[in-house]
């Protein structure tokens, strides 16, 4: 185990690409040591390359750990790997997420379960795994990726909206449990952000989304990462249990 008095350490789940990777860069740019995470050994090599790029670009340390957050033991192993490498955990960004869209009437139970397993249970397992080190050091930040779907609902996303609404309940309950121990817990609810997840939408769907966004454009991963970096900072110490939309006014 390395010295635990160095710069803060952040775990970002599902950070091989998209919003998670942008969050990892934003935290590294603020001097944090980074634990990237991908869901399986198959993507580990690519994620290790991302870790090397982050370390050299921002002059910090970064490692990559393969762990399926939907598995409680693997989530615990992810936290253990962070402690083993860096000796402390200051920030957890529960970013890993999947969609399996479809109208509820035709949605297979497995598609409901799979989305809840990753998006909601995964966030709980990872939060549980970092709570002891964070409460022991009496400081920590847990940032959960929800969605405007979880706040307002979205047709074709009964599973996803339920999981992301669940993330909001989880955030508020944990915020109340952990506030006196110096740990804040907040949720970010992005709108339409341009990543692989939204690349699956048709041009029609994207155009329709864009019409409803007051800012007139889809968001970029960096738009979300900037808020995550703020919530992870010392300045955000008195903000807890909140859900903040990053959606260019989509939800107005
Ligand atoms: P993405 O699909 O590009 O990235 C998701 C990442 O999570 C991938 O790296 C994937 O490998 C990882 N992942 C999936 N299952 C995992 C598991 N079991 N264990 C560990 N990692 C796993 O998606 P994007 O857009 O970057 O989304 C990031 C988060 O933001 C997700 O939670 C998503 O629901 C949320 N979000 C995204 C929005 C968007 O418009 N792109 C809007 C609202 C919320």
């Amino acid at each position: 185990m390395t010295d635990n008095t160095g710069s803060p350490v952040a775990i970002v789940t599902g950070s091989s690409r998209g919003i998670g990777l942008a969050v990892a860069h934003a935290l590294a740019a603020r001097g944090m040591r980074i634990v990237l995470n991908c869901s399986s050994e198959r993507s580990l090599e690519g994620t290790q390359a991302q870790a090397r790029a982050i370390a050299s670009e921002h002059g910090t340390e970064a490692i990559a750990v393969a762990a399926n957050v939907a598995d409680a033991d693997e989530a615990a192993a992810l936290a253990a790997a962070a402690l083993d490498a860096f000796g402390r955990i200051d920030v957890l960004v529960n970013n890993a997420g999947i969609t399996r869209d479809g109208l509820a009437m035709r949605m297979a139970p497995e598609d409901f379960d799979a989305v809840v397993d990753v998006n909601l249970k995964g966030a709980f397992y990872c939060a549980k795994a970092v709570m002891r080190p964070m409460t022991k050091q009496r400081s920590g930040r847990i940032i959960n990726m929800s969605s405007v779907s979880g706040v307002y609902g979205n047709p074709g996303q009964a599973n996803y909206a339920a999981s992301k609404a669940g993330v909001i309940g989880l955030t508020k309950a944990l915020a109340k449990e952990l506030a006196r121990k110096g740990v804040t817990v907040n949720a970010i609810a992005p709108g339409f952000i341009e990543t692989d997840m939204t690349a699956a939408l048709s041009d029609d769907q994207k155009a329709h989304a864009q019409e409803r966004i007051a800012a007139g454009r889809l968001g970029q991963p960096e738009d979300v990462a900037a808020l995550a970096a703020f919530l992870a900072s010392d300045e955000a110490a008195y903000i807890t249990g909140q859900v903040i939309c990053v959606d260019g006014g989509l939800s107005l």
Side-chain angles (χ1 to χ4, degrees), residues 102-113:
L103 292 175
M105 215 184 293
R106 288 197 288 268
M107 186 176 285
E110 308 81 71
D111 286 340
F112 195 93
D113 289 348

Side-chain angles (χ1 to χ4, degrees), residues 13-20 37-39 43 67-70 94-99 118-119 145-148 160 164 189-198:
T13 68
S15 46
S16 60
R17 65 183 199 203
I19 294 171
N37 156 251
C38 54
S39 58
S43 37
N68 171 9
V69 298
N94 273 318
N95 167 81
I98 61 168
T99 52
V118 176
N119 298 7
M145 216 50 82
S146 179
S147 166
V148 290
Y160 185 77
K164 294 298 190 179
F192 280 94
I193 310 298
E194 279 192 291
T195 65
D196 290 351
M197 186 176 272
T198 45

Side-chain angles (χ1 to χ4, degrees), residues 147-155 157 161-162 212:
S147 166
V148 290
S149 262
V151 183
Y152 297 100
N154 201 24
Q157 291 199 312
R212 292 159 47 219

Side-chain angles (χ1 to χ4, degrees), residues 37-228:
N37 156 251
C38 54
S39 58
S40 71
E41 296 288 333
R42 256 180 302 126
S43 37
L44 187 55
E45 216 173 289
T47 313
Q48 281 168 335
Q50 298 285 11
R52 285 193 294 275
I54 285 178
S56 76
E57 192 175 322
H58 304 288
T60 184
E61 293 175 81
I63 60 166
V65 179
N68 171 9
V69 298
D71 181 302
D73 292 339
E74 292 192 33
L78 171 61
L83 285 174
D84 199 37
F86 297 133
R88 54 185 297 131
I89 301 169
D90 299 277
V91 178
L92 166 68
V93 183
N94 273 318
N95 167 81
I98 61 168
T99 52
R100 296 248 178 115
D101 294 356
L103 292 175
M105 215 184 293
R106 288 197 288 268
M107 186 176 285
E110 308 81 71
D111 286 340
F112 195 93
D113 289 348
V115 170
V116 170
D117 282 352
V118 176
N119 298 7
L120 178 55
K121 288 160 108 180
F124 170 65
Y125 296 147
C126 291
K128 192 168 156 61
V130 302
M131 270 176 218
R132 207 173 296 278
M134 282 185 180
T135 54
K136 227 167 122 192
Q137 73 203 14
R138 300 198 78 79
S139 75
R141 299 277 185 273
I142 299 175
I143 300 164
N144 297 323
M145 216 50 82
S146 179
S147 166
V148 290
S149 262
V151 183
Y152 297 100
N154 201 24
Q157 291 199 312
N159 49 1
Y160 185 77
S163 73
K164 294 298 190 179
V167 162
I168 292 172
L170 175 71
T171 299
K172 293 182 179 183
L174 294 184
K176 286 185 172 174
E177 283 189 23
L178 299 175
R180 282 168 198 260
K181 308 246 167 64
V183 179
T184 69
V185 189
N186 291 287
I188 299 178
F192 280 94
I193 310 298
E194 279 192 291
T195 65
D196 290 351
M197 186 176 272
T198 45
L201 298 175
S202 69
D203 286 347
D204 265 7
Q205 284 173 308
K206 279 189 207 157
H208 180 63
Q210 199 152 326
E211 267 169 35
R212 292 159 47 219
I213 300 170
R217 65 168 178 92
L218 303 190
Q220 295 303 310
E222 292 71 25
D223 293 319
V224 180
L227 176 59

